[in-house]
PDB file of all heavy atoms in Angstrom:
ATOM      1  N   GLY A 117     -17.127 -19.220  -6.289  1.00 98.00           N
ATOM      2  CA  GLY A 117     -18.462 -19.843  -6.303  1.00 98.00           C
ATOM      3  C   GLY A 117     -19.437 -19.219  -5.329  1.00 98.00           C
ATOM      4  O   GLY A 117     -20.658 -19.348  -5.475  1.00 98.00           O
ATOM      5  N   MET A 118     -18.912 -18.518  -4.335  1.00 97.00           N
ATOM      6  CA  MET A 118     -19.781 -17.906  -3.330  1.00 97.00           C
ATOM      7  C   MET A 118     -20.524 -16.690  -3.884  1.00 97.00           C
ATOM      8  O   MET A 118     -21.432 -16.179  -3.226  1.00 97.00           O
ATOM      9  CB  MET A 118     -18.967 -17.521  -2.087  1.00 97.00           C
ATOM     10  CG  MET A 118     -18.477 -18.707  -1.266  1.00 97.00           C
ATOM     11  SD  MET A 118     -19.803 -19.738  -0.618  1.00 97.00           S
ATOM     12  CE  MET A 118     -20.496 -18.647   0.621  1.00 97.00           C
ATOM     13  N   ALA A 119     -20.138 -16.240  -5.088  1.00 96.00           N
ATOM     14  CA  ALA A 119     -20.827 -15.083  -5.695  1.00 96.00           C
ATOM     15  C   ALA A 119     -22.108 -15.513  -6.403  1.00 96.00           C
ATOM     16  O   ALA A 119     -22.928 -14.679  -6.792  1.00 96.00           O
ATOM     17  CB  ALA A 119     -19.891 -14.384  -6.679  1.00 96.00           C
ATOM     18  N   LYS A 120     -22.301 -16.832  -6.620  1.00 97.00           N
ATOM     19  CA  LYS A 120     -23.517 -17.305  -7.302  1.00 97.00           C
ATOM     20  C   LYS A 120     -24.759 -16.990  -6.481  1.00 97.00           C
ATOM     21  O   LYS A 120     -24.700 -17.004  -5.246  1.00 97.00           O
ATOM     22  CB  LYS A 120     -23.434 -18.819  -7.538  1.00 97.00           C
ATOM     23  CG  LYS A 120     -22.384 -19.182  -8.563  1.00 97.00           C
ATOM     24  CD  LYS A 120     -22.615 -20.577  -9.108  1.00 97.00           C
ATOM     25  CE  LYS A 120     -21.529 -20.925 -10.109  1.00 97.00           C
ATOM     26  NZ  LYS A 120     -21.030 -22.295  -9.952  1.00 97.00           N
ATOM     27  N   PRO A 121     -25.890 -16.748  -7.152  1.00 96.00           N
ATOM     28  CA  PRO A 121     -27.109 -16.399  -6.413  1.00 96.00           C
ATOM     29  C   PRO A 121     -27.455 -17.466  -5.357  1.00 96.00           C
ATOM     30  O   PRO A 121     -27.432 -18.656  -5.667  1.00 96.00           O
ATOM     31  CB  PRO A 121     -28.188 -16.335  -7.498  1.00 96.00           C
ATOM     32  CG  PRO A 121     -27.459 -16.168  -8.789  1.00 96.00           C
ATOM     33  CD  PRO A 121     -26.099 -16.767  -8.610  1.00 96.00           C
ATOM     34  N   GLY A 122     -27.717 -17.041  -4.156  1.00 96.00           N
ATOM     35  CA  GLY A 122     -28.131 -17.960  -3.092  1.00 96.00           C
ATOM     36  C   GLY A 122     -26.994 -18.644  -2.360  1.00 96.00           C
ATOM     37  O   GLY A 122     -27.203 -19.220  -1.283  1.00 96.00           O
ATOM     38  N   ALA A 123     -25.773 -18.611  -2.908  1.00 98.00           N
ATOM     39  CA  ALA A 123     -24.661 -19.372  -2.310  1.00 98.00           C
ATOM     40  C   ALA A 123     -24.372 -18.913  -0.875  1.00 98.00           C
ATOM     41  O   ALA A 123     -24.200 -19.736   0.027  1.00 98.00           O
ATOM     42  CB  ALA A 123     -23.415 -19.249  -3.172  1.00 98.00           C
ATOM     43  N   ALA A 124     -24.347 -17.604  -0.679  1.00 97.00           N
ATOM     44  CA  ALA A 124     -23.963 -17.082   0.643  1.00 97.00           C
ATOM     45  C   ALA A 124     -25.026 -17.342   1.705  1.00 97.00           C
ATOM     46  O   ALA A 124     -24.745 -17.270   2.898  1.00 97.00           O
ATOM     47  CB  ALA A 124     -23.673 -15.586   0.541  1.00 97.00           C
ATOM     48  N   ASP A 125     -26.253 -17.675   1.267  1.00 97.00           N
ATOM     49  CA  ASP A 125     -27.297 -18.026   2.244  1.00 97.00           C
ATOM     50  C   ASP A 125     -27.270 -19.511   2.568  1.00 97.00           C
ATOM     51  O   ASP A 125     -27.912 -19.972   3.506  1.00 97.00           O
ATOM     52  CB  ASP A 125     -28.689 -17.666   1.698  1.00 97.00           C
ATOM     53  CG  ASP A 125     -28.829 -16.168   1.499  1.00 97.00           C
ATOM     54  OD1 ASP A 125     -28.274 -15.423   2.328  1.00 97.00           O
ATOM     55  OD2 ASP A 125     -29.466 -15.754   0.515  1.00 97.00           O
ATOM     56  N   LYS A 126     -26.548 -20.288   1.752  1.00 98.00           N
ATOM     57  CA  LYS A 126     -26.544 -21.736   1.946  1.00 98.00           C
ATOM     58  C   LYS A 126     -25.268 -22.192   2.639  1.00 98.00           C
ATOM     59  O   LYS A 126     -25.324 -22.930   3.627  1.00 98.00           O
ATOM     60  CB  LYS A 126     -26.670 -22.409   0.573  1.00 98.00           C
ATOM     61  CG  LYS A 126     -26.728 -23.905   0.667  1.00 98.00           C
ATOM     62  CD  LYS A 126     -27.614 -24.491  -0.409  1.00 98.00           C
ATOM     63  CE  LYS A 126     -27.758 -25.989  -0.239  1.00 98.00           C
ATOM     64  NZ  LYS A 126     -26.666 -26.718  -0.909  1.00 98.00           N
ATOM     65  N   VAL A 127     -24.119 -21.770   2.129  1.00 98.00           N
ATOM     66  CA  VAL A 127     -22.859 -22.120   2.779  1.00 98.00           C
ATOM     67  C   VAL A 127     -22.492 -20.948   3.697  1.00 98.00           C
ATOM     68  O   VAL A 127     -22.121 -19.876   3.245  1.00 98.00           O
ATOM     69  CB  VAL A 127     -21.756 -22.403   1.737  1.00 98.00           C
ATOM     70  CG1 VAL A 127     -20.405 -22.561   2.423  1.00 98.00           C
ATOM     71  CG2 VAL A 127     -22.100 -23.675   0.966  1.00 98.00           C
ATOM     72  N   LEU A 128     -22.607 -21.209   5.004  1.00 98.00           N
ATOM     73  CA  LEU A 128     -22.498 -20.120   5.983  1.00 98.00           C
ATOM     74  C   LEU A 128     -21.103 -20.072   6.591  1.00 98.00           C
ATOM     75  O   LEU A 128     -20.389 -21.077   6.610  1.00 98.00           O
ATOM     76  CB  LEU A 128     -23.527 -20.337   7.089  1.00 98.00           C
ATOM     77  CG  LEU A 128     -24.973 -20.525   6.609  1.00 98.00           C
ATOM     78  CD1 LEU A 128     -25.877 -20.905   7.771  1.00 98.00           C
ATOM     79  CD2 LEU A 128     -25.485 -19.259   5.915  1.00 98.00           C
ATOM     80  N   HIS A 129     -20.737 -18.888   7.108  1.00 98.00           N
ATOM     81  CA  HIS A 129     -19.510 -18.772   7.903  1.00 98.00           C
ATOM     82  C   HIS A 129     -19.872 -18.742   9.399  1.00 98.00           C
ATOM     83  O   HIS A 129     -19.187 -19.322  10.209  1.00 98.00           O
ATOM     84  CB  HIS A 129     -18.696 -17.528   7.513  1.00 98.00           C
ATOM     85  CG  HIS A 129     -19.493 -16.256   7.474  1.00 98.00           C
ATOM     86  ND1 HIS A 129     -19.851 -15.576   8.603  1.00 98.00           N
ATOM     87  CD2 HIS A 129     -20.028 -15.562   6.424  1.00 98.00           C
ATOM     88  CE1 HIS A 129     -20.548 -14.507   8.269  1.00 98.00           C
ATOM     89  NE2 HIS A 129     -20.683 -14.466   6.946  1.00 98.00           N
ATOM     90  N   ALA A 130     -20.966 -18.036   9.728  1.00 98.00           N
ATOM     91  CA  ALA A 130     -21.325 -17.820  11.148  1.00 98.00           C
ATOM     92  C   ALA A 130     -20.132 -17.303  11.931  1.00 98.00           C
ATOM     93  O   ALA A 130     -19.923 -17.672  13.079  1.00 98.00           O
ATOM     94  CB  ALA A 130     -21.914 -19.094  11.764  1.00 98.00           C
ATOM     95  N   TRP A 131     -19.312 -16.447  11.279  1.00 98.00           N
ATOM     96  CA  TRP A 131     -18.132 -15.878  11.951  1.00 98.00           C
ATOM     97  C   TRP A 131     -18.371 -14.425  12.360  1.00 98.00           C
ATOM     98  O   TRP A 131     -17.471 -13.715  12.784  1.00 98.00           O
ATOM     99  CB  TRP A 131     -16.874 -16.048  11.075  1.00 98.00           C
ATOM    100  CG  TRP A 131     -15.677 -16.371  11.913  1.00 98.00           C
ATOM    101  CD1 TRP A 131     -14.549 -15.612  12.065  1.00 98.00           C
ATOM    102  CD2 TRP A 131     -15.482 -17.528  12.752  1.00 98.00           C
ATOM    103  NE1 TRP A 131     -13.686 -16.218  12.955  1.00 98.00           N
ATOM    104  CE2 TRP A 131     -14.228 -17.385  13.378  1.00 98.00           C
ATOM    105  CE3 TRP A 131     -16.262 -18.664  13.034  1.00 98.00           C
ATOM    106  CZ2 TRP A 131     -13.727 -18.337  14.287  1.00 98.00           C
ATOM    107  CZ3 TRP A 131     -15.759 -19.606  13.919  1.00 98.00           C
ATOM    108  CH2 TRP A 131     -14.508 -19.436  14.531  1.00 98.00           C
ATOM    109  N   LYS A 132     -19.635 -13.957  12.149  1.00 98.00           N
ATOM    110  CA  LYS A 132     -20.121 -12.722  12.760  1.00 98.00           C
ATOM    111  C   LYS A 132     -21.393 -13.186  13.441  1.00 98.00           C
ATOM    112  O   LYS A 132     -22.300 -13.685  12.762  1.00 98.00           O
ATOM    113  CB  LYS A 132     -20.467 -11.674  11.705  1.00 98.00           C
ATOM    114  CG  LYS A 132     -19.282 -11.132  10.933  1.00 98.00           C
ATOM    115  CD  LYS A 132     -19.738 -10.031   9.990  1.00 98.00           C
ATOM    116  CE  LYS A 132     -18.555  -9.506   9.194  1.00 98.00           C
ATOM    117  NZ  LYS A 132     -18.891  -8.262   8.478  1.00 98.00           N
ATOM    118  N   ALA A 133     -21.457 -13.056  14.752  1.00 98.00           N
ATOM    119  CA  ALA A 133     -22.621 -13.587  15.460  1.00 98.00           C
ATOM    120  C   ALA A 133     -23.864 -12.810  15.043  1.00 98.00           C
ATOM    121  O   ALA A 133     -23.813 -11.599  14.853  1.00 98.00           O
ATOM    122  CB  ALA A 133     -22.403 -13.488  16.963  1.00 98.00           C
ATOM    123  N   GLY A 134     -24.971 -13.529  14.872  1.00 98.00           N
ATOM    124  CA  GLY A 134     -26.213 -12.904  14.408  1.00 98.00           C
ATOM    125  C   GLY A 134     -27.039 -13.930  13.655  1.00 98.00           C
ATOM    126  O   GLY A 134     -27.037 -15.114  14.023  1.00 98.00           O
ATOM    127  N   PRO A 135     -27.718 -13.498  12.582  1.00 98.00           N
ATOM    128  CA  PRO A 135     -28.611 -14.416  11.862  1.00 98.00           C
ATOM    129  C   PRO A 135     -27.916 -15.702  11.404  1.00 98.00           C
ATOM    130  O   PRO A 135     -28.521 -16.777  11.430  1.00 98.00           O
ATOM    131  CB  PRO A 135     -29.059 -13.588  10.649  1.00 98.00           C
ATOM    132  CG  PRO A 135     -28.886 -12.153  11.056  1.00 98.00           C
ATOM    133  CD  PRO A 135     -27.769 -12.127  12.056  1.00 98.00           C
ATOM    134  N   GLN A 136     -26.627 -15.624  11.012  1.00 98.00           N
ATOM    135  CA  GLN A 136     -25.959 -16.844  10.535  1.00 98.00           C
ATOM    136  C   GLN A 136     -25.722 -17.850  11.668  1.00 98.00           C
ATOM    137  O   GLN A 136     -25.655 -19.057  11.423  1.00 98.00           O
ATOM    138  CB  GLN A 136     -24.632 -16.494   9.857  1.00 98.00           C
ATOM    139  CG  GLN A 136     -24.832 -15.862   8.477  1.00 98.00           C
ATOM    140  CD  GLN A 136     -23.777 -16.278   7.472  1.00 98.00           C
ATOM    141  OE1 GLN A 136     -22.848 -17.025   7.768  1.00 98.00           O
ATOM    142  NE2 GLN A 136     -23.934 -15.804   6.249  1.00 98.00           N
ATOM    143  N   THR A 137     -25.590 -17.364  12.894  1.00 98.00           N
ATOM    144  CA  THR A 137     -25.395 -18.279  14.030  1.00 98.00           C
ATOM    145  C   THR A 137     -26.605 -19.212  14.133  1.00 98.00           C
ATOM    146  O   THR A 137     -26.467 -20.437  14.226  1.00 98.00           O
ATOM    147  CB  THR A 137     -25.255 -17.468  15.348  1.00 98.00           C
ATOM    148  OG1 THR A 137     -24.286 -16.438  15.144  1.00 98.00           O
ATOM    149  CG2 THR A 137     -24.875 -18.340  16.520  1.00 98.00           C
TER     150      THR A 137
END
Side-chain angles (χ1 to χ4, degrees):
M118 290 299 290
K120 291 198 181 137
D125 296 324
K126 182 146 185 273
V127 172
L128 307 173
H129 50 77
W131 218 243
K132 293 184 181 192
Q136 286 216 358
T137 310

